[in-house]
Amino acid sequence: MSAARNLQKALRPLARQVASPAVQRRTFVAAAGAVRAAAVSRAAAPVAKQQTRGVKTIDFAGHKEDVYERADWPIEKLQDFFKNDTLALIGYGSQGHGQGLNLRDNGINVIIGVRKEGKSWKDAIQDGWVPGKNLFEVDEAISKGTIIMNLLSDAAQSETWPHIKPQITKGKTLYFSHGFSPVFKDLTKVEVPTDVDVILCAPKGSGRTVRSLFKEGRGINSSFAVYQDVTGKAKEKAIAMGVAIGSGYLYETTFEKEVYSDLYGERGCLMGGIHGMFLAQYEVLRERGHSPSEAFNETVEEATQSLYPLIGAYGMDWMFDACSTTARRGAIDWTPKFKDALKPVFNNLYDSVKDGSETKRSLEYNSQPDYREKYEKELEEIRNLEIWRAGKAVRALRPENTK
Ligand SMILES: NC(=O)c1ccc[n+]([C@@H]2O[C@H](COP(=O)([O-])OP(=O)(O)OC[C@H]3O[C@@H](n4cnc5c(N)ncnc54)[C@H](OP(=O)(O)O)[C@@H]3O)[C@@H](O)[C@H]2O)c1
């Protein structure tokens, strides 16, 4: 992307800030100038080279890794690769929906297998899957399939495995979108048959994003891995599957690394950790006499609406650069204090993932017959926290919500 376009894009949120006095932020006093300067200084940076399509070996901060991309799999090649296959996609939740529709739009022979009395059956019909044609009950779909995509919830994969395992016969391929079931087989009891290829493609995002990025013509980042290769073709099949379900770029990993990093990340910075940090900051502000709106704006609104998008687009240094000298000084000084305080927690978390404690907890909790009700109660508690009630009121004031 050219420096000019970078600058234009980076200034857009800032322009919005300036145009709206109600949300004008102290930290942005020097922002426009800083972004302009940063755009100029980055004009010569070699980052754009890494984005060139067709490049296979990419230098990630001094570590060379192979990255596989959709551009090497034109639709004709993809369809030819799967011309003798029937993909039986079992489970039609978040991932089933996204991956299934993308496969169908890519012209791959895909059928859905779900239980007839469940919500997913109705959802699949809504999405145009036709009973008896490409929508079946689980067993029938598996019997028709050559590649069995196990996209049941992780708890259900464990629960249904004694019934499903005998149906995964020689010649079929077993596909997962998470390393969870086979890696923690001592807990899940998902011991895969020894005579089939076992592969994984794990999109780095929700199934809804798998679908929306595909429709935008972009493609989600995914990791892929091979657990068991009996045909000698498992790796190529995993990459082809990744492209077929709608991935743009595919990063190679192992089942173990995928599941460890995934469980760790979602409990940490992606979800649990960030919520804990928001709550801690908000509570201190409230205890020190700040109003809910001030505490929310300073904790969540500015983060999600202004600063985090800049990190996503251009990196942390760029975001620091886009803020006032006062903000930058404090952020740089306080970073090591937060890192030192949090690193032991992250180490505990990684241990808890690796030793199976997180899996055990998840299986026990999510296998309870009333887990949905219990989970809904917990969500209700979060929804009712003052911080998120204040957030609702702040969001309601956004121009797009006041029309
Ligand atoms: N969601 C994500 O963001 C995401 C991202 C990457 C990878 N993954 C992985 O993708 C896989 C699928 O996840 P998901 O989030 O799409 O799952 P999900 O939304 O929880 O889907 C659950 C599916 O499992 C079915 N199911 C549940 N219990 C069942 C049972 N006892 N017997 C038969 N079917 C049952 C449900 O059918 P009914 O409607 O009939 O209950 C539904 O179709 C998991 O391995 C997950 O870790 C998920």
Side-chain angles (χ1 to χ4, degrees), residues 125-140:
I125 289 175
Q126 285 269 312
D127 287 345
W129 302 94
V130 181
K133 184 178 164 219
N134 50 21
L135 173 62
F136 301 94
E137 294 215 50
V138 173
D139 291 354
E140 193 175 355

Side-chain angles (χ1 to χ4, degrees), residues 91-96 114-115 118-120 151-154 156-157 159-160 177-178 203 205-207 372:
Y92 199 73
S94 167
Q95 286 299 324
V114 284
R115 46 187 177 183
K119 175 180 181 293
S120 299
L151 294 183
L152 298 175
S153 69
D154 295 309
Q157 289 179 20
E159 199 182 312
T160 57
S177 280
H178 200 4
S206 115
R372 275 184 212 271

Side-chain angles (χ1 to χ4, degrees), residues 151-194:
L151 294 183
L152 298 175
S153 69
D154 295 309
Q157 289 179 20
S158 171
E159 199 182 312
T160 57
W161 189 244
H163 179 73
I164 285 181
K165 183 180 177 181
Q167 303 180 63
I168 313 291
T169 48
K170 193 170 180 201
K172 293 190 194 273
T173 295
L174 183 56
Y175 165 101
F176 292 98
S177 280
H178 200 4
F180 190 94
S181 292
V183 169
F184 291 111
K185 57 178 183 273
D186 291 348
L187 294 161
T188 62
K189 309 293 177 214
V190 176
E191 191 87 54
V192 299
T194 52

